[in-house]
Amino acid sequence: MTPPAPAELRVMRPVGPLVISIEGVTKLYQMGEETIHALRGVSLEIRRNEYLAIMGPSGSGKSTLMNMLGCLDTPTSGRYEFNGNDVAGMVDDELAEIRNREIGFVFQTFNLLARSDALRNVELPLIYAGVPRHERHERARLALESVGLADRIHHKPNELSGGQRQRVAIARALVNRPSIILADEPTGNLDSKTGVEIMDLFEDLYDRGNTLIVVTHEESVARHARRIVRLHDGLIESDRLAE
Amino acid sequence: MGRLLYEFNESVRIAMAQIRANKMRSALTALGVVIGIVAVTLMGTAIRGIDIGFEKSLAMLGGDILYVDKWPWLGAEDWWNYVDRPYVKPEDVLKLNRIIDSTENSELEFAVFSAFRATALKANGLSVSGVFTRGTSADYGRVLTADFAEGRLFTDAEDQAARQVCILGSDVAQALFPARSALGATVIVAGQPFEVIGVLARQGSFLGLFSFDNQMVMPLGAFHKYYGVRNDETEIMVKMKDKNRIDQAREELTGDMRRVRGQQPGQRDNFSINGGEAFKEKLDPIKKGIAFAGLFVTGLALFVGAIGIMNITFVSVKERTKEIGTRKALGARRFTILLQFLIEAVSICVLGGVIGLGLTYGLFAGVKAAMPNFPIEFSLLLVVVSMLVSIATGVLSGIIPAWGASRLDPVDALRYE
């Protein structure tokens, strides 16, 4: 049984308020003698309930941009505001708070804790958020139900299929009701049939009012998004709505 | 506050899961700590044992008794300063007791005179020699630290009458009367028959040097009759009212003795006031030296164990770098990660500590059962201290790798394969 989502999330908002605003962002890496310009001045705005794909060949700065958007990394220069908060100047623990409250990560390799069951895995962000045990259990269980894993909550990752593991990861991303869900090649480790199922789930999440950012190099995955941003050589090459 | 608690619980849970998942590795690492803790705690039981043995010996001297002698018990290397002093005499005690009685709020209760010599005893066709023989008054019963195994001390009347009665130490009684009770028997001392009216309970030896069981006590009158009144070896035992006010008592006794001796201001005391604490002062530095050296050497064993913990924590951080990245992405702060690995290190250490303490207790119980007099002692303090040491070892050995883990860049950590 899928529990009813909160009422305001069921309302479709084609264009919501601004969530992410970055302007003139650059990122330099020092690799031995060489300085690598991973991002050379990127500006981007993402609004609530958008479904965005970020595409680009390897070395285009796609991963760097994703790390930046996910508050895992800070820009060398430029402005980054997340829900109006200046992220560019934040220190490690402040970034950790933002990641915990505002961002749900979905990784290509799922990144589940091998020795913990699905429920425990999904509870983890709530532990870091300081949610009491009883509420934690309840919310994690609901999140797992919402991705169709109500009957698998006590299975460990090695007792689940690849698609089920990614669903656990998605439940974990959803559980703290983040502002954005950031998925890095979410179907990269799945066969095509399971990949389609996961993309259907993303579609469903989008319909439920979530904001999705999917980083991928697969056109078939990007095609599900409503807007596609293409990177090339550290710059945005194109930013247009998908057909 | 709630969050910290949840994170702490989570860390403990992870640590337990980690130890379960790597049983062999955890066991071997804990073994290093086990050996260290066994070494340190055994040393602790030995040090405590020495302490307690020493306390027992001091108790034989009587904690509330001061001794007035010609010589100081310890530290008379400059003997020429003491050799011309007079011996303490029975008259000194009479005067001293009069002064004590007339002093208001005196710290002292009363003084008892004793004279000694080594004697030979015969009885029952057997003989013992070198018996430490004390001639004293009936008041001796009030300063005697030993119990009577049987019989009693002589009375004042028996003393006044110089009755030929005696009390034997347990070794003497045992040697002369191996098969039966000495009570009521006759022993020959100085060619004279003495009736045994009491036998002392076994006391053991003082610091392993002087046996309190190889002694005999007789009335001073009888002692003087056969050995004469001019005796070199004499002492006055003075009972204090409150053994916690030993400094005040000693000061008062010094003043009283100077009056007894008629000493002028400015003259040096011509007597020494002795007591158990003289040994204490002498032996404390030695005890501390043994404790320090012993704990240092055994501490090295624990140090090796700590290095093992540090090593395994480094391995654990390395193995779980990607997990650290994931946790950070989900919102774990630096402190959370630090706590997680610290608790893991501390858990292994505490595990080792508990096992080590158990082994030590087993060894202790075994040794105690086999050799009841062996000076080792197990205490609750030892348990508490060794647990604290285990925790501290875990924290100290885990802090560097845990700190490193907490500072990992989440991007690098997530990319780590």
Side-chain angles (χ1 to χ4, degrees):
Chain A
M1 183 199 81
T2 306
E8 83 265 19
L9 291 185
R10 252 186 288 182
V11 179
M12 292 286 284
R13 283 193 199 139
V15 179
L18 205 58
V19 178
I20 285 174
S21 165
I22 65 178
E23 203 181 303
V25 159
T26 69
K27 184 73 188 181
L28 303 184
Y29 288 112
Q30 204 68 39
M31 288 277 263
E33 295 285 284
E34 213 180 341
T35 304
I36 293 170
H37 294 258
L39 295 176
R40 295 165 184 273
V42 170
S43 299
L44 189 66
E45 287 192 342
I46 301 171
R47 291 176 178 276
R48 184 173 293 275
N49 201 214
E50 277 202 86
Y51 188 172
L52 182 85
I54 296 174
M55 295 201 69
S58 56
S60 62
K62 178 179 53 155
S63 297
T64 307
L65 180 61
M66 182 200 68
N67 290 336
M68 207 80 70
L69 291 175
C71 297
L72 291 164
D73 208 349
T74 49
T76 308
S77 72
R79 198 175 53 80
Y80 180 10
E81 281 183 10
F82 198 111
N83 281 340
N85 299 312
D86 174 24
V87 171
M90 283 186 176
V91 297
D92 264 22
D93 281 355
E94 292 169 329
L95 290 172
E97 294 262 11
I98 296 275
R99 292 194 294 266
N100 183 245
R101 278 190 281 111
E102 309 284 5
I103 301 164
F105 287 93
V106 177
F107 301 98
Q108 177 176 358
T109 48
F110 322 136
N111 293 26
L112 299 176
L113 304 184
R115 275 188 276 283
S116 302
D117 64 17
L119 191 71
R120 265 275 165 196
N121 266 291
V122 175
E123 268 186 71
L124 203 55
L126 299 177
I127 289 174
Y128 297 141
V131 175
R133 186 190 167 86
H134 183 74
E135 188 186 337
R136 228 156 57 204
H137 278 349
E138 193 55 24
R139 279 168 64 177
R141 200 177 53 74
L142 289 175
L144 281 165
E145 276 178 13
S146 76
V147 298
L149 287 178
D151 55 344
R152 294 281 189 278
I153 62 173
H154 290 304
H155 287 55
K156 293 200 172 154
N158 62 4
E159 297 160 340
L160 297 169
S161 71
Q164 286 170 330
R165 286 183 211 184
Q166 194 60 301
R167 280 168 192 270
V168 173
I170 290 167
R172 183 178 65 184
L174 287 172
V175 75
N176 215 9
R177 300 174 195 127
S179 296
I180 61 168
I181 290 166
L182 188 58
D184 177 20
E185 303 283 4
T187 60
N189 272 26
L190 301 172
D191 60 62
S192 53
K193 181 173 165 287
T194 315
V196 168
E197 283 171 25
I198 293 296
M199 292 325 290
D200 287 347
L201 178 58
F202 273 40
E203 197 68 40
D204 185 33
L205 295 180
Y206 173 62
D207 289 345
R208 281 192 253 158
N210 290 291
T211 309
L212 301 173
I213 303 171
V214 178
V215 178
T216 183
H217 65 274
E218 285 179 71
E219 291 291 344
S220 62
V221 171
R223 219 174 296 134
H224 288 84
R226 303 300 187 269
R227 175 184 166 195
I228 301 177
V229 173
R230 288 177 201 273
L231 282 176
H232 187 76
D233 209 11
L235 288 166
I236 292 180
E237 191 184 53
S238 70
D239 181 354
R240 61 174 78 102
L241 296 180
E243 294 87 61
Chain B
M1 193 58 226
R3 178 168 68 177
L4 194 65
L5 185 69
Y6 306 143
E7 287 180 352
F8 185 84
N9 286 343
E10 166 76 3
S11 295
V12 171
R13 214 189 57 82
I14 298 166
M16 292 306 133
Q18 230 10 65
I19 290 171
R20 266 200 305 277
N22 301 297
K23 284 192 193 72
M24 182 55 99
R25 187 168 95 183
S26 305
L28 287 176
T29 313
L31 185 62
V33 180
V34 169
I35 291 169
I37 287 288
V38 166
V40 171
T41 50
L42 272 185
M43 196 64 220
T45 60
I47 290 168
R48 186 84 192 105
I50 291 170
D51 245 9
I52 287 181
F54 180 64
E55 295 292 326
K56 263 188 202 158
S57 284
L58 282 188
M60 291 179 195
L61 292 177
D64 58 349
I65 292 167
L66 291 170
Y67 294 77
V68 183
D69 299 274
K70 174 178 175 178
W71 297 91
W73 283 353
L74 294 165
E77 285 88 359
D78 48 343
W79 56 271
W80 53 89
N81 284 327
Y82 303 97
V83 71
D84 288 335
R85 288 174 165 186
Y87 290 100
V88 293
K89 299 185 187 71
E91 306 90 87
D92 292 343
V93 178
L94 292 176
K95 288 184 199 160
L96 184 58
N97 273 329
R98 239 176 276 135
I99 294 170
I100 291 171
D101 288 344
S102 63
T103 306
E104 261 182 69
N105 300 322
S106 174
E107 300 286 349
L108 308 171
E109 238 171 284
F110 64 93
V112 186
F113 178 83
S114 295
F116 322 98
R117 59 174 296 137
T119 57
L121 270 67
K122 279 186 226 151
N124 217 7
L126 297 166
S127 72
V128 284
S129 60
V131 176
F132 182 79
T133 301
R134 176 192 295 268
T136 188
S137 63
D139 281 342
Y140 181 66
R142 295 162 66 193
V143 292
L144 183 63
T145 53
D147 293 325
F148 277 87
E150 45 188 346
R152 57 172 180 89
L153 194 70
F154 45 83
T155 62
D156 208 26
E158 285 169 324
D159 177 29
Q160 299 298 328
R163 282 279 311 276
Q164 291 178 200
V165 292
C166 69
I167 291 92
L168 300 183
S170 69
D171 281 355
V172 179
Q174 191 70 45
L176 293 178
F177 305 96
R180 67 177 187 92
S181 165
L183 203 62
T186 302
V187 293
I188 308 298
V189 188
Q192 297 295 321
F194 277 70
E195 186 195 347
V196 179
I197 59 167
V199 176
L200 296 175
R202 187 167 188 80
Q203 292 187 79
S205 65
F206 178 71
L207 302 176
L209 300 172
F210 173 84
S211 172
F212 279 85
D213 299 319
N214 180 29
Q215 66 166 330
M216 171 183 145
V217 183
M218 65 168 72
L220 187 61
F223 191 91
H224 281 158
K225 197 155 96 189
Y226 298 111
Y227 298 118
V229 289
R230 292 183 56 84
N231 282 289
D232 291 354
E233 292 186 52
T234 54
E235 78 180 7
I236 302 173
M237 294 168 87
V238 183
K239 191 171 172 66
M240 294 178 254
K241 282 186 178 146
D242 182 355
K243 67 177 172 189
N244 296 318
R245 292 172 60 83
I246 187 161
D247 290 335
Q248 291 89 330
R250 183 183 273 273
E251 199 174 311
E252 184 185 329
L253 181 56
T254 304
D256 293 351
M257 272 308 290
R258 289 180 69 90
R259 278 175 67 192
V260 167
R261 290 283 169 84
Q263 289 195 287
Q264 300 300 315
Q267 271 186 301
R268 292 177 69 174
D269 295 346
N270 60 3
F271 54 88
S272 285
I273 296 180
N274 294 309
E277 84 277 21
F279 288 96
K280 218 180 178 107
E281 278 164 25
K282 201 79 178 172
L283 286 177
D284 267 355
I286 299 172
K287 262 174 16 193
K288 286 207 181 85
I290 293 173
F292 183 79
L295 288 177
F296 178 76
V297 172
T298 52
L300 284 181
L302 189 61
F303 183 68
V304 174
I307 290 174
I309 298 278
M310 188 183 289
N311 190 33
I312 214 68
T313 313
F314 270 121
V315 169
S316 188
V317 168
K318 202 84 190 155
E319 279 178 349
R320 289 152 70 200
T321 301
K322 191 162 187 169
E323 181 192 316
I324 295 167
T326 305
R327 286 178 184 274
K328 286 198 158 202
L330 299 182
R333 291 158 305 145
R334 285 183 174 179
F335 180 73
T336 315
I337 302 291
L338 181 85
L339 192 68
Q340 180 186 330
F341 285 95
L342 260 193
I343 286 179
E344 202 173 308
V346 169
S347 300
I348 296 179
C349 269
V350 168
L351 184 73
V354 169
I355 295 173
L357 206 56
L359 283 179
T360 299
Y361 186 77
L363 283 171
F364 161 78
V367 169
K368 263 294 182 220
M371 290 177 282
N373 288 323
F374 198 76
I376 55 175
E377 209 57 55
F378 201 83
S379 66
L380 185 66
L381 183 71
L382 192 73
V383 175
V384 173
V385 167
S386 50
M387 281 299 99
L388 289 179
V389 166
S390 301
I391 292 171
T393 305
V395 170
L396 290 178
S397 51
I399 191 85
I400 295 173
W403 176 256
S406 77
R407 311 280 299 186
L408 280 177
D409 180 59
V411 174
D412 293 341
L414 276 169
R415 212 180 282 146
Y416 188 87
E417 287 301 330

